[in-house]
Amino acid sequence: MKRQLLSVLLALFLLPLLPAKAQTPPETWQEHWFEHNQLVSRVFYDNDLALYFDNDVSRSVTWPNQYLSDVWRYTKRTYGSFGADPRLFAIFHTGKYSGGHPSTYFDASHDNRNLIDVGAGPFTSATQGDYNLVTHEVAHIVELGGKNLHGSPAFGIWGDSKWAEIFIYDVYNALGLTSRATTAYNDFTASRDAFPRANTAWFRDWFYPIYNQYGGAQVLNRYFVQLALYFKRTGTEYGSMNMGEFVHFWSGAAGTNLKAQATTAFGWTAEYEAQFVKARQDYPFAYSVAPIAVSLFQDYNYGGYGVYLPAGSYTLSQLKAYGARNDDITSLKVTPGYTVTLYADDNFSGASLTLSSDVALLDIPAWNDKVSSIVVSANAAVAADKVAGEELLAYPNPVVNNGSLTVEVPKYDASAPVQIQLVDVNKKVALYRKENTQRVIVNTGKIAGGFYILVVKNGKNTFTKKVLIQ
């Protein structure tokens, strides 16, 4: 009991210190890139944001303070680390430098900071365009600097704004900005582009269907994981990809062959087909999505950036491909039915610690910021189900409130409907769906966070699985 009390007191004592992994940002910053030459002043900062204005920006503009902090916090929690400094740096201009540009911690040109630089303002009305602009630039940081690697292989395919559109829509949804999300959805659905062919509806025919059907933010994140695990690069610098590779890597993220979706969205030429066939030969990963078995977090109480791992063994280089940094994990969540073993050194060496439940603060001082490799394994009952080929797939798990849960039924009986229920701890049915397909996409709506039992009936078979809604 005394030891437990001591642990609680230590946790409370260290709580204010754990997220503070950055120095105080400078009060001024001299721009020295492109045509930018302003001396900008810091007007706000917290653990996630350092905000600077030039002299012409009205100091009444305060909406970016909370908004950009929330955006960057959500971005790190979803996509992982972006260098050692936990902050997003943002520079606002009025009356100059129209538009915006990003930079990442890889780039000495902008002092190795994750930066968005926007103008021409005045930003006083906090319009949809203002919100879109700053969020758009954060989207570029995600594609250019995530997973400890640099560059955007798909930039030549999706251009300056197509990835940013689905990122913006997801951010608004995640932050509960329903009106902005609806406006973005309507605007982006109506948008048409001349690439890769005339009248291409990128959002309507490609990104939104993938996002809606294959896991929301998690499928977006899995695309970048696929790149980090498999795509060609020199050191930390990516090369560029062709359309066949693009469709192959998104298929890996979605867990299904997206060639038909690509044909609808972009058309399908003989060149695309040859590229697609070669991509599957060059990068022979399967189109499957394993459930999340452990979630790692940078800070105490599941804060900071997040990293989401299925069962498997992860060296330091593999952990980096999922968005982690060395010796940087402070808390974790273990999905019921799985066990995680932490190793102090790379390649599963050094001291080890095995856990099968959530830990809000890793044992102090032995394991806080001391993890370099990990093994995640299914417990005996889960493993037996996998061997028998009878495991019900439900992912992502955990799933966010108002997110999408994909359910795949094993031994599917096409002559019978698939009936899906989420049952809470009081045995009350929180959700019911009835479909006639093996794979069903369920929206969790406004269901309260907590553990639920997923009950799936199909013909003579009934399957159950524990699901966590966050």
Side-chain angles (χ1 to χ4, degrees), residues 289-293 309-312 314 336-339 376-393 410-411 465:
V289 177
I292 294 170
L309 305 175
Y314 301 89
Y338 292 88
T339 296
V376 185
S377 56
N379 296 343
V382 174
D385 281 346
K386 287 185 176 180
V387 171
E390 296 180 354
E391 183 189 16
L392 175 70
L393 288 181
K411 295 185 177 180
K465 192 178 191 72

Side-chain angles (χ1 to χ4, degrees), residues 53 56-64 92-94 120-128 130-131 180:
F53 288 175
D56 296 319
V57 180
S58 170
R59 268 44 182 179
S60 68
V61 176
T62 58
W63 62 266
F92 279 56
H93 296 284
T94 287
F123 303 110
T124 51
S125 299
T127 66
Q128 179 85 9
D130 291 337
Y131 274 76
R180 294 201 183 278

Side-chain angles (χ1 to χ4, degrees), residues 208-217 392-409 418-423 429-447 452-457 467-469:
Y208 183 75
I210 293 173
Y211 175 89
N212 188 50
Q213 296 176 41
Y214 302 112
L392 175 70
L393 288 181
Y395 55 87
N397 188 10
V399 59
V400 297
N401 175 275
N402 206 26
S404 296
L405 178 69
T406 299
V407 179
E408 293 191 21
V409 182
V418 173
Q419 300 181 68
I420 296 176
Q421 297 182 79
L422 275 179
V423 183
V429 176
L431 179 149
Y432 176 80
R433 281 281 299 277
K434 183 178 180 180
E435 300 289 347
N436 291 301
T437 58
Q438 183 177 18
R439 173 183 286 174
V440 180
I441 310 296
V442 178
N443 189 292
T444 56
K446 300 298 183 182
I447 298 175
Y452 293 80
I453 300 298
L454 175 67
V455 182
V456 178
K457 296 181 179 180
V467 173
L468 174 61
I469 297 179

